[in-house]
Structures are given as C-alpha cells and as structure tokens.
Amino acid sequence: MAKNLMAKTGHLSRFILRLDRIRIPLWLFGLSFFTIIVPIAFRDLYGSQQERDAMAETMANPAMTAMVGPGDLTNYTVGAMTTHQMLLMTAAIVGLMSILLVTRHTRADEEDGRIEMVRSLPAGRLSYLNASLIVISGTSIALALIIGFGLYALGIESMDLGGSLLYGAALGGTGLVFAGVTAVFAQLSENARGTIGMSIAVLLIAYLFRAITDVSNETLSWLSPLGWVTKTEAYTSNNWGPILLMVLVTFVLFIAANYLNAVRDLERGFLPSKPGRSYASRYLQSPLGLASRLQRTGIIAWAIGLFVLGASYGSIFGDLESFFDGNDMYEQMLVQVEGFSIVDQFIPMLIIVMSLASTIPALMAINKLRGEEKKGRLEQLLGRSVSRTQLMGAYLMIAVFNGLVMLSLSAIGLWSSGNTVMEEGLSFGMVYGATMAYFPAMLVMIGISVVLIGFLPRMTNFNWIYVLYSFLVLYLGGLFQFDDWVGKLSPFGHIANAPIETVTFMPLFVLTILAVGLMIIGFIGFNKRDIEG
Amino acid sequence: MSMVKITNLTKKFGKFTALDRVNLEVNSGEIFGFIGPNGAGKSTTIRVLLGILKATDGSVKIFEKDAWDDAVEIHKRVAYVPGDVNLWPNLTGGEVIDLFVKLRGTNNKSRREELINRFDLDPTKKCRTYSKGNRQKVALIAAFSSDADLYILDEPTSGLDPLMEQVFQECVMDIKKQGKSVLLSSHILSEVEKLCDKVAIIREGSIIETGTLNELRHLTRTQILVETKQKITSLEKVKGVHEVEGTDQGLLFQVDTNELDNVMKHISSFGILKLESAPPTLETLFMRHYEGKATSVDSGVGGAN
C-alpha cells in the first residue's frame, strides 16, 4: 500500500531536479556567496576588537534588536558580528526560497494540470508531493553544508567548524521549516497564488512576532520559527537545540501535508470556494477596473503588511528612549548630530527599508501587465476596443497609486505607534514628509519597469535586481563603508536622509522628470511591439 | 464592400517567416472559412488582423481602415473569439462576459441571458474551475451577445461537445441572416462546409487555395462507384480518371470534375446498372494539399486568388 502511494518518487525527484537545474544552483550560489563575503568584509573593515566593540555599542539598542535579532554584543568577534547582523535576514530569504520552490512543484503544477498527467502514469498518489519535498530537503541540506564548510574555510579565527556548521544548519533548517509550511498551505489553498500568499504571510508574521518579542520578552520569541534562528547563537554558545526543533517541526509539517494530500481530491483544496457573482459589478467593466480587481487581494495584503512593518518599527521608539535616558555615555557616543534625538537618527534607516519594501508591491503592480501578457490574456482585451495606451495606463496608474498608498501606510504605521509609545510624541509631518521624499525614487523604479515592458519585455524581471542592489547599497552601505557613488547609482541614494538632512527640491524634481520621461518612452515601445501570447 | 482586405501580408519573427505574402478578402455578408493545419499561420494572420502583432510588410485593412493604426476604432465593430481562451482564474464566467461586452462598447443584456441558457453555462463559477469547453463558451457568449459587424472566430468549437457545436452553428447562421460577416478559422471541415460561402486554405504561411466552395470543387475529383452489364475496359486510359479499384459492389474510381462528361460517356457504353457519386468533400481537397510537400501542388491551383 505505502509502496504504491510512493511509487516512482525517486524518478520524479530526479525529474524535478532536472526542471530546476538552473534555479536551485542559482539560489544556492547567491545565498552562499552573499553569506561568505560578509565575514571577509567585516574582517577587513572592523579588524580590531576596538572597532568591533564600537560597532557593538551602536547595535546595542532595541531598534536594532527588532530588525536583526539579539546577538552577543559583549564578545563581538567577527563570527558573532556575522551571526548578529546577517543570520536572521539571510534566514528570511532562505524561507522565501523554500516557499517559491515548493509552491512551484506542488500547487502550481497541480493548478496547471501537470500533476494530473503525472498521476495518470504509474506513479503513486503521494509521489509528486514527496519528490518535491525530497528535492527541497536536499537543497536545504546542501545549503547548510556549503555555507557551513564555506564559512569555516575562510579561516577566520573566531569562526570555528562547529559554529560554521551551526550557522549553515540554522539557514538549512529555516529552509526545511518553510518548505513544510508551504507544503501544508499547498494542500489547503486551491491555487498557487493563495499558497504563496499565505506562506509569505506566515514568514512575515514570524519575523514581526520575533521583532516584538525579542525586544519585550525573549522567551516568547521561541514561538516564532525565525526566533529559533537567532537562538542558535552560532559562534558564541553554539546551541544546537533550535536545529533539532526545526527538524521536528518540519517532520510534523511534512506528515501533515502528506495526510492532507492523501485525503483530498486532485485540484481541490480545503479552503472553501463559494460561487461568485453572475454579473460584473460596475467597477469591473473597464481595463482599470479589471486590473485593480485582479490585484485587489494582493494590494490589501501588502497594505496591511506595510502598516504593520511601520508600526512595529515605531513600537520600539519608546524603549529606545528609555534605553538611552540617563545613560550619558551612550548619549554622548550616539548623538553625533546636534539637535536631533536618538529616534530622529534611527528614522532615516527605517524609512529606507520601508520605502524599498513599498516599492515591491508597486513594481509587482506594473509587472503584472507583463504577467498577463505571458498568460495570453492581453490578446482578449486588445481584441476589443481597448488601446495599448489605455491598457498600460491602467496598470501604471495602479502601480503609482499603490506605491503612494504603501509608502503612506508605512509612514502612518511608524508614526502612530511611535507617537503612542514616546513621551513627547512624534511629529506626523516630519515622519510623513521624510517618507514621501522617497516617492520620486519609487517613480523612477516604476518608470524603469515601464521601459522594460515596452521594449525588452523578457527582461522585465531584471528590475528586481536593481531593487536588490538599492537595498544592499543603502541598507548595508554604511556597514560596508561603500563610496558615495555606489549609493548614487540607485535613485534611492539621491534622497536626503530626513530629518537629519534637509530635503531639497532639486533632486526630487529631477527624479520625477526622469520617471516621467522613462514612462513616456515605455509607452511608445509598448505601442509599437508585438504582443506575445 | 470588403470587410477585410489583406494584401501581400508578410510577418517575420526574427528570421522565421510565419506568413509569406498572404492575400485574403472577406466581403460584406460573407462567411469566410480559413483552414489549414496546425502551425500554418491561421492564428498569426488573425492576430495581425487584430493589431496584436505588427505586420512586417503588406497592408491589412478592416472596414477599409488600417488594422494596426486604427485598432481601437475597428474593434468597436469586431467580435473576436481566440483559439486558446485564457481567462482570469479568480473571476467568474459571468463577470468575464460582462467585462468583454463592455470593453467593446455595446451591451445586450437579453441576448446574454439567452445565450447563457442556450450554451448551458453556469456564470457563477470561477473561471479556474471551467473546462476548455466551458472557457470557449464564455468567449462565444461574449462574442455573440455583442452587436458587431465582423466576427473573427479562431477555431471556436475546439473543446465543445456536438450539441454545443450545433448551438454554435445556429448562432453563426443567425448572424449571417443579419448580414454580418464572419472569418472562421477551423480544423473541422464539415463545419466549414456547412457554414462558409468562401474558403481559403493556408499552408506554411502561404495561401494555396481560395475561392467559393463550388469553385474549389471544380478543382477536385468526384468519387464514382459504378456497376455495369459488361465489364468496363481500359478505364484507366480515359483522361481524368484516377485510382481505379475493383470492389464487391462494382468499380470505384475518382474523376477530375472537369472531365466528368467524357468519362460518363465512356462508362454508359457498358450499360450502367448502378451509379453512385459522392461530391468532392473539402476533406479530399484538404488531404490532397496536405499529404506532404512531396506531392507537389497541382499546376494551376497554387498561388493566391
């Protein structure tokens, strides 16, 4: 019986591996490469213990704990520093990798009818699910080993074999846990979008829950899988307990996914799908209406996510104040810019993260046009009295509006919770203005997408690399002490760090003009080219 | 008045020539059949007609307007059913129909209800749950409930059951009665034979035959089954006779339609007991052209128009 259910699992695993022969190595390479260069950079930039201790001092505050998790700041070796500053963020990206890879070969394949074909062959009912779980498990283990041995091979004094392997295992373990989470949601939800959406929601909640509990009550953060990552304390106390927990949870989730898969029909889920409207509402009956309807759920989810992100950053401002209150030494060291409070100095970095996070849904909204094209659905609209300008205009309007809303919500979130927890309150105008200064930079990013869709549709996704670049140079730029021009290559690098720096009109104006120019060029291209389908 | 006029249309994708100097004309009130094997260029031609692909060369006019430049204006009077109907998985069939009708500009509520009934579609279901046939119905209902002058239908019946095919044919006859024009691309030859006034056959990006069904029949052969008192001799030598075959019921052979008179004279001298003739079907025509490039296209048939 069991043998029949699992027949040909091995074959299918090799098949999936063949399908992903480029995708998986790319993820592995990217993650390992960025993990391994970090300690090298730290060793070069913060060579002496004194420099590292100075760094540790700036890190010793609730805002940083919320962002990157707790770390061993008393013995801030290169190893401890790497774990503290990089491990959690990398783990979140590994979680994302698992979600995308597992959805691809569970619900996405099922939704497109490919699993039906596989089931008609002499393969077991649970084979395809387990084949994809085997592949992702293999990927996670490979990642753990590559990073573990890779970090050890650097030969940095504070990075011993045990700690390095634990560091890798924490990442691999996170991959496994989120593979399990995704596998379960792939059974519950009837479509791939829902699977990815709910799994990412779990990832975000795990991150935010850990952010809040790490600051307020560290024991509670044992409830978040991402909390386990920092609890390994790699390179300091080397605690393997969380890894065991990850493996156990993964095992339970895999069993649950198998059980749910076994008791349900193909192409069905457990979350109910009720009959819909038999008439289109008035709002749906235009290209703009259609485009917004298609993205409605995603927009709402992102809106909530960004508000919560802003609010959770704001929620630590109170702790931040009391933490520095009456601690003269810290105050002297950190308050380098006269006339600004400690909170004011943290705001710019938080806003960069928030504005880049808000750019993601805005770009998704414009790139959706290309997604619709690839699915052959534009043809049906353009076959009616809809012009290309109208069509692209609808998606552009949603993208711009989307970005504006996301940016506003993250700012409102930051202000509202910050204002509640801080004794003398927080100026709404200052927070909102400083955040909105990034809007022109976001418009440039949208403009780039418009140009790509207009002229090089196959390269549309390359804009994400630019987003990633912007994040790396601006968020980590200070850490790695990049030259100024490296940051200026990103539109976000031209925005003043309000409230510490004054926002001037000129750069915002130039960026806006640039964005509009890019958009016009993109529209011309889109009006000239063949639509694929 | 010509509704569609394609002159020397060439479409290249990089180095690959998908369409090579295609000529085609659909007149007002005409149902025009467009047939050809998979990958011959039917859908490419239709996509150029709709301004979704840009012609590399040649002129493409609908209602005497340019199909690329005036696409939006033209589409207000065109209804289109694609060969592969891709719908939004999270919208219902009813919502998509309304959206499609609205985007064309007109709205015909009573027709919508009637067609939903006739095609037996549940409009409250999400498109994700529809089978291929049901997705096709959504596109057909949207097309037929709009008041267009030209209907462009790209293999509209693929995935429909025979009952629904019947409904489809009724709908086409209805719009024909109203004097509308239809460009119908299809694989199903019996359907084209039943509905179309004119036919064009495309192969490897070139139109190889075009004309009314009657005209095309003249180019093909009639199948004859004959039983005579005396044994027919030297039939093979008569001009225009092909593939003679003795069967239990008599002699089975094919005759070039324009040689029919001579052949009949020859046979009748043997005393006919029984004669059955089958009209040339589109299928035999089709097969003659498609059975590989090896059997070269007969002289006088190729070329456009």
Side-chain angles (χ1 to χ4, degrees), chain A residues 466-482:
Chain A
Y466 198 34
V467 176
L468 188 68
Y469 172 84
S470 301
F471 177 75
L472 290 177
V473 298
L474 293 172
Y475 176 67
L476 302 174
L479 208 58
F480 293 125
Q481 300 168 4
F482 288 135

Side-chain angles (χ1 to χ4, degrees), chain A residues 178-320:
Chain A
F178 283 94
V181 169
T182 316
V184 170
F185 280 120
Q187 314 309 317
L188 297 178
S189 167
E190 233 177 31
N191 55 75
R193 255 171 51 145
T195 308
I196 293 182
M198 288 188 268
S199 308
I200 289 184
V202 170
L203 183 70
L204 283 180
I205 292 168
Y207 178 81
L208 293 173
F209 184 80
R210 179 219 52 77
I212 296 164
T213 51
D214 272 350
V215 174
S216 57
N217 182 349
E218 278 205 43
T219 320
L220 270 181
S221 53
W222 277 100
L223 289 174
S224 160
L226 286 179
W228 307 338
V229 173
T230 49
K231 304 248 187 263
T232 57
E233 296 177 38
Y235 296 122
T236 44
S237 35
N238 282 352
N239 182 3
W240 282 85
I243 305 295
L244 192 69
L245 194 59
M246 286 177 183
V247 173
L248 269 175
V249 167
T250 304
F251 190 65
V252 171
L253 288 170
F254 280 9
I255 301 254
N258 266 288
Y259 171 75
L260 293 172
N261 191 288
V263 298
R264 75 180 170 91
D265 286 337
L266 190 70
E267 283 164 29
R268 289 279 175 281
F270 288 96
L271 303 176
S273 65
K274 52 184 191 305
R277 293 158 172 267
S278 72
Y279 293 96
S281 73
R282 226 150 33 85
Y283 305 103
L284 178 58
Q285 301 184 17
S286 68
L288 182 64
L290 173 67
S292 34
R293 167 68 187 274
L294 294 175
Q295 306 185 45
R296 189 176 60 190
T297 321
I299 292 175
I300 294 172
W302 274 98
I304 296 172
L306 282 165
F307 181 82
V308 172
L309 180 75
S312 45
Y313 282 158
S315 69
I316 50 172
F317 283 170
D319 292 323
L320 204 60

Side-chain angles (χ1 to χ4, degrees), chain A residues 456-532:
Chain A
L456 300 162
R458 277 155 209 231
M459 312 275 276
T460 304
N461 281 329
F462 276 61
N463 206 5
W464 292 118
I465 295 176
Y466 198 34
V467 176
L468 188 68
Y469 172 84
S470 301
F471 177 75
L472 290 177
V473 298
L474 293 172
Y475 176 67
L476 302 174
L479 208 58
F480 293 125
Q481 300 168 4
F482 288 135
D483 285 340
D484 246 13
W485 63 268
V486 179
K488 296 280 187 213
L489 284 182
S490 160
F492 292 88
H494 293 270
I495 309 294
N497 288 325
I500 297 176
E501 298 169 18
T502 319
V503 179
T504 48
F505 173 74
M506 215 41 205
L508 304 191
F509 179 72
V510 171
L511 284 174
T512 309
I513 295 294
L514 179 65
V516 172
L518 288 168
M519 288 169 192
I520 292 171
I521 294 171
F523 270 82
I524 293 173
F526 191 66
N527 268 296
K528 272 190 176 159
R529 70 173 175 90
D530 286 348
I531 299 293
E532 295 164 18

